[in-house]
Amino acid sequence: MTATVSKLLPAPPAAKAFLNFVNASPTPFHAVQSASQLLEKAGFRKVEEGANWEQDLKAGAKVYFTRNQSSLLAFTVPAGGFKPGTGVSIVATHTDSPNFRIRPVSKRSKAGYMQVGVETYGGGIWHTWFDRDLSIAGRVIVSSPIGASNAPRFSSKLIRVERPILRIPTLAIHLDRSVREGFKFNAETETIPILGLISSQLNGTQRSVTKDDDSDSDKDTPIPPGNPKHHPALIELLADELSVSPQEIHDFELQLYDTQPSTIGGINNEFIFSPRMDNLYSSFSAVEGLIRFASEISVGELEGNVNAIALFNHEEIGSVSSTGAESSIIPNFLSRLSPTPAAHASTVARSFLISADMGHAVHPNYTSKYEENHRPAMNGGVVLKINANQRYATDAWGSFLIRKLAERKGGR
């Protein structure tokens, strides 16, 4: 008997770099932080969006700014300098993904369990969140005393609790035989994650758990000032992670994430198994592309265009926010590069924008869901999205340019 053993192909360095990026970025806040770190390492200079940075743009400059810690714009100035009225080439992506967000009032308990109230964000496939090892990440508003008067200074800190602390368990099949015919659930009442057991239960206090109770059963646990709406245990966990006192926590924006890390998969390492591919993959590629372009000697010499990337928030809920694609980030950016009406109109007319998002490769178990002649292949190259009703802005000139750019780099 003989056996054939295939040689495992090593994962490409770019794939490994992406894994590091996505594993460090469970929220849009962390994604912008990760992107900023890559840009800083490559020599990009951070400026404040509200500062007069346009007055100090030198030829070959590499600049970026962020807004509200959840969106980012980075750009390079052509080697010959920028003249008002010339174009801007932009790749735009988004940093958010569907998830569960912790509610403003999250403190819940029932049947002896501590629970955390959450609401859905975006259009997720919510049944995939059941029976996962979940944790929390986001940003927290904290205070710290400064000066002799001990006047508080407020700041935001990013947090990522790396150990699993939450779970949304499915009901045992013995209590719901119909689940074999289809898994159905109430998103408001049956996706409330469990944080732990009420401490009075852990201490051995006898208490009936037959009554539905949405109040905290541990009446003796002190409530940190300013946070009566969340379990003290949750606030204390945040405080420990941030090395602050519970009293110094004033507000937060937290979301759930799966603690299982992204990884390389497939018999020949041909896949990436990862959450948040939509759209951290495009965000990472945009950052890496701009960094690589900026490192070339001929940076920006083609036609004098400014080359830019924009990482937006809130695409999953319509992009209509102060940090979304319909915000003032790009319009303000173009106006500051070309401040007069005539120059601004010229810049807009000469600019080009790629909206980089994810496409769906053909699924071997559901091939009937795809149009016969339009089935994107896994690892088959760039996918162009075209819609006759203009749901996408791609036209013949746009698709032609993308194909030529891909061919120039040996891609498809």
Side-chain angles (χ1 to χ4, degrees):
M1 178 181 292
T2 61
T4 301
V5 179
S6 60
K7 184 178 180 181
L8 184 63
L9 299 176
K16 294 180 179 179
F18 170 70
L19 292 181
N20 293 333
F21 181 85
V22 71
N23 283 330
S25 307
T27 74
F29 305 117
H30 291 84
V32 167
Q33 180 187 61
S34 298
S36 298
Q37 291 171 348
L38 292 174
L39 293 168
E40 292 272 358
K41 186 177 180 181
F44 280 72
R45 175 173 62 94
K46 184 178 182 179
V47 297
E48 294 297 324
E49 183 184 7
N52 294 324
W53 49 260
E54 71 273 19
Q55 298 179 6
D56 190 34
L57 289 182
K58 299 179 181 179
K62 299 182 289 186
V63 183
Y64 81 98
F65 62 79
T66 65
R67 179 183 288 187
N68 199 23
Q69 296 180 278
S70 58
S71 61
L72 176 148
L73 191 143
F75 63 96
T76 60
V77 179
F82 177 80
K83 297 178 181 179
T86 55
V88 180
S89 302
I90 306 172
V91 174
T93 72
H94 67 92
T95 58
D96 62 320
S97 300
N99 56 66
F100 286 92
R101 302 285 173 102
I102 293 183
R103 290 183 182 273
V105 181
S106 72
K107 188 178 182 183
R108 299 182 64 126
S109 61
K110 184 174 287 189
Y113 295 96
M114 288 190 294
Q115 294 180 283
V116 177
V118 295
E119 61 180 318
T120 58
Y121 172 89
I125 306 176
W126 304 119
H127 70 263
T128 64
W129 287 76
F130 281 75
D131 301 318
R132 295 278 187 170
D133 299 334
L134 303 176
S135 193
I136 55 176
R139 69 174 174 182
V140 182
I141 306 299
V142 300
S143 63
S144 57
I146 59 172
S149 64
N150 283 332
R153 177 181 180 181
F154 298 94
S155 62
S156 64
K157 290 188 175 184
L158 299 193
I159 186 171
R160 178 179 59 156
V161 179
E162 296 187 6
R163 67 182 179 92
I165 61 171
L166 294 166
R167 198 168 184 89
I168 306 173
T170 52
L171 183 64
I173 191 172
H174 312 81
L175 303 177
D176 182 16
R177 299 289 183 182
S178 66
V179 72
R180 293 172 175 171
E181 302 170 6
F183 182 37
K184 298 179 181 180
F185 56 91
N186 186 311
E188 280 290 319
T189 62
E190 296 171 343
T191 61
I192 306 173
I194 294 174
L195 178 65
L197 294 172
I198 295 173
S199 58
S200 60
Q201 296 284 312
L202 296 175
N203 292 333
T205 302
Q206 295 298 318
R207 184 178 186 273
S208 172
V209 296
T210 59
K211 178 184 176 182
D212 287 345
D213 185 3
D214 285 332
S215 62
D216 188 353
S217 298
D218 185 5
K219 304 301 183 183
D220 297 325
T221 302
I223 299 175
N227 287 291
K229 302 175 181 179
H230 309 284
H231 280 295
L234 177 61
I235 299 300
E236 290 167 4
L237 172 65
L238 299 178
D240 289 343
E241 291 284 330
L242 296 173
S243 299
V244 300
S245 70
Q247 291 75 17
E248 291 173 324
I249 293 177
H250 297 273
D251 210 338
F252 54 67
E253 295 172 77
L254 298 175
Q255 63 187 59
L256 276 56
Y257 80 98
D258 189 348
T259 58
Q260 180 176 338
S262 304
T263 187
I264 300 294
I267 189 64
N268 290 311
N269 280 342
E270 62 262 67
F271 300 132
I272 292 176
F273 299 153
S274 173
R276 303 183 296 280
M277 292 283 282
D278 178 4
N279 190 30
L280 290 187
Y281 180 88
S282 298
S283 296
F284 172 77
S285 299
V287 172
E288 286 291 303
L290 186 65
I291 289 174
R292 182 174 299 184
F293 172 79
S295 67
E296 297 177 356
I297 297 177
S298 60
V299 56
E301 291 182 354
L302 294 179
E303 292 184 4
N305 265 23
V306 164
N307 290 277
I309 60 171
L311 279 56
F312 291 113
N313 195 9
H314 297 139
E315 188 272 348
E316 299 291 346
I317 55 173
S319 298
V320 185
S321 71
S322 63
T323 53
E326 290 196 33
S327 70
S328 61
I329 293 177
I330 285 183
N332 285 356
F333 174 60
L334 298 181
S335 295
R336 296 179 74 169
L337 290 177
S338 299
T340 68
H344 180 264
S346 179
T347 291
V348 171
R350 297 177 180 180
S351 295
F352 188 79
L353 185 144
I354 294 175
S355 176
D357 209 334
M358 300 300 287
H360 301 288
V362 63
H363 193 309
N365 298 337
Y366 300 92
T367 55
S368 63
K369 298 293 184 180
Y370 300 79
E371 204 279 332
E372 183 177 357
N373 294 321
H374 299 85
R375 295 179 174 180
M378 187 72 73
N379 294 334
V382 174
V383 176
L384 286 172
K385 295 184 178 181
I386 301 173
N387 183 270
N389 294 313
Q390 289 295 289
R391 296 295 180 89
Y392 304 114
T394 310
D395 59 14
W397 276 114
S399 60
F400 167 76
L401 289 173
I402 295 300
R403 285 197 297 271
K404 287 300 180 183
L405 288 172
E407 291 173 4
R408 182 178 294 181
K409 294 296 183 179
R412 291 181 290 170

